[in-house]
Amino acid sequence: PGVKKKKRTLSVEQVEKVLRQVPKGRELWFTGTGDFFMDPNALEHVRRAHLLGHKPCILTHGQLLTPEVIDQLLENGVRFIRISVDAIDPDTYQKIRLGGKFEKILEACAILRKKKAQYPGLRVETNNTILKPSDGLIQKYCDFWRGKVDGVNFNAEYYDTHHFRNTFQPIPEKRNECQLSVYVLPSGRMAPCCATIVIQHEQDQEWMPHIDATSPKEAYPKFQQMYKDPESPLRKICEKCGWWIMWAYDEKGQTPYWRHYPLTD
């Protein structure tokens, strides 16, 4: 609440520039700092990704997953959809997702469930941010979503841009290295990690390369160099950032940030 939303979208040409650099056959995630389907060219981006041999995947809040949109996604190779939910009752959901309707999520999940007979590789999961500690919350959510989706994911809540609360286990005393990627943002800037995505959304970061001036392939080694350089703007963000817990795996492969629960009927 109170955040000024930035209305920006990538052009078809900008997205295709990225698509042509990604090796074929890999999962390629479409999401947004608002919602992917607010982009008027969202379905065209997915179609082009499919034609170029990619495996398009979708992260969305689900409010715009109409039957028509679902059909077009499946026809264009989408077999993995994650829906951000955060609550399992309509009133709480509407308080968190201002203006959202929980029944739209249930309707979309029901449609997708029926489509699994036609598209046997289809997988649907929900993503839930833990907004307050609750010992019984995970089991309650899993019980609710069983028979509706294929898996339930939980993640800790970030606040103040750089920090997390409601983690699943104590945060380790020693920091581990982060795993950098290249995320192309609606502004056209390219970011190396989730924390810098949030920062760029709040305030333009001129040190981030722009898709019109360079390519993801060229940006990645530059991000690696900046990550190692204590004087770089990226490393100065790292000094106060707690997002490294996303990669802080313990001996069981768990992190303080994330939990995944596969569901079976």
Side-chain angles (χ1 to χ4, degrees):
V3 174
K4 185 178 180 180
K5 302 296 183 182
K6 297 180 180 179
K7 298 180 180 179
R8 297 176 179 174
T9 57
L10 294 166
S11 68
V12 171
E13 293 74 23
Q14 288 173 319
V15 172
E16 181 144 349
K17 180 179 180 180
V18 178
L19 296 177
R20 291 189 176 279
Q21 292 198 19
V22 179
K24 295 180 180 180
R26 294 187 181 182
E27 290 187 346
L28 194 153
W29 282 90
F30 288 96
T31 180
T33 48
D35 188 78
F36 174 55
F37 295 110
M38 292 298 291
D39 186 334
N41 294 312
L43 294 173
E44 178 64 13
H45 298 327
V46 173
R47 187 185 72 85
R48 288 175 180 251
H50 181 52
L51 290 174
L52 289 169
H54 303 307
K55 297 178 180 179
C57 306
I58 304 295
L59 174 61
T60 173
H61 58 42
Q63 291 296 301
L64 301 175
L65 281 179
T66 63
E68 295 76 19
V69 168
I70 289 173
D71 283 341
Q72 291 191 57
L73 293 176
L74 298 179
E75 289 168 6
N76 285 287
V78 174
R79 297 295 182 269
F80 197 173
I81 298 175
R82 281 179 170 164
I83 304 175
S84 298
V85 185
D86 305 328
I88 56 174
D89 69 270
D91 291 340
T92 305
Y93 176 85
Q94 195 165 16
K95 290 178 182 178
I96 298 171
R97 299 275 172 178
L98 301 178
K101 301 294 183 182
F102 186 61
E103 57 265 27
K104 290 185 178 181
I105 304 297
L106 297 181
E107 290 168 3
C109 289
I111 294 170
L112 288 163
R113 198 71 171 173
K114 292 179 180 178
K115 295 288 185 180
K116 288 175 74 71
Q118 185 179 355
Y119 301 95
L122 176 61
R123 181 171 183 82
V124 180
E125 297 178 355
T126 60
N127 282 8
N128 308 271
T129 299
I130 303 296
L131 298 175
K132 62 180 180 179
S134 176
D135 293 336
L137 181 144
I138 288 177
Q139 186 60 54
K140 183 178 180 181
Y141 275 46
C142 288
D143 290 343
F144 177 87
W145 288 111
R146 196 177 307 279
K148 300 180 181 73
V149 298
D150 303 294
V152 181
N153 304 305
F154 298 90
N155 59 269
E157 177 194 10
Y158 83 82
Y159 68 99
D160 227 13
T161 302
H162 299 287
H163 306 101
F164 285 89
R165 54 191 166 208
N166 304 325
T167 57
F168 295 98
Q169 59 199 47
I171 296 176
E173 292 184 6
K174 183 179 179 181
R175 177 193 175 108
N176 59 274
E177 297 293 333
C178 293
Q179 296 181 18
L180 302 184
S181 299
V182 177
Y183 301 88
V184 185
L185 309 182
S187 65
R189 297 281 187 193
M190 288 179 278
C193 63
C194 293
T196 53
I197 290 174
V198 176
I199 293 170
Q200 163 63 22
H201 185 62
E202 295 175 347
Q203 183 178 1
D204 187 45
Q205 302 294 304
E206 295 184 354
W207 60 268
M208 291 184 184
H210 197 283
I211 189 63
D212 290 342
T214 187
S215 68
K217 186 176 181 179
E218 295 167 330
Y220 185 67
K222 292 181 179 178
F223 287 148
Q224 288 181 311
Q225 293 173 2
M226 294 177 73
Y227 185 71
K228 297 175 182 177
D229 180 3
E231 299 303 318
S232 74
L234 172 58
R235 198 65 198 183
K236 290 186 181 299
I237 291 173
C238 296
E239 291 174 358
K240 55 185 178 182
C241 180
W243 287 69
W244 58 268
I245 68 169
M246 297 176 71
W247 318 112
Y249 296 102
D250 61 17
E251 64 278 2
K252 296 181 180 179
Q254 305 281 13
T255 76
Y257 171 78
W258 178 264
R259 289 290 185 275
H260 167 73
Y261 295 86
L263 300 180
T264 56
D265 294 341

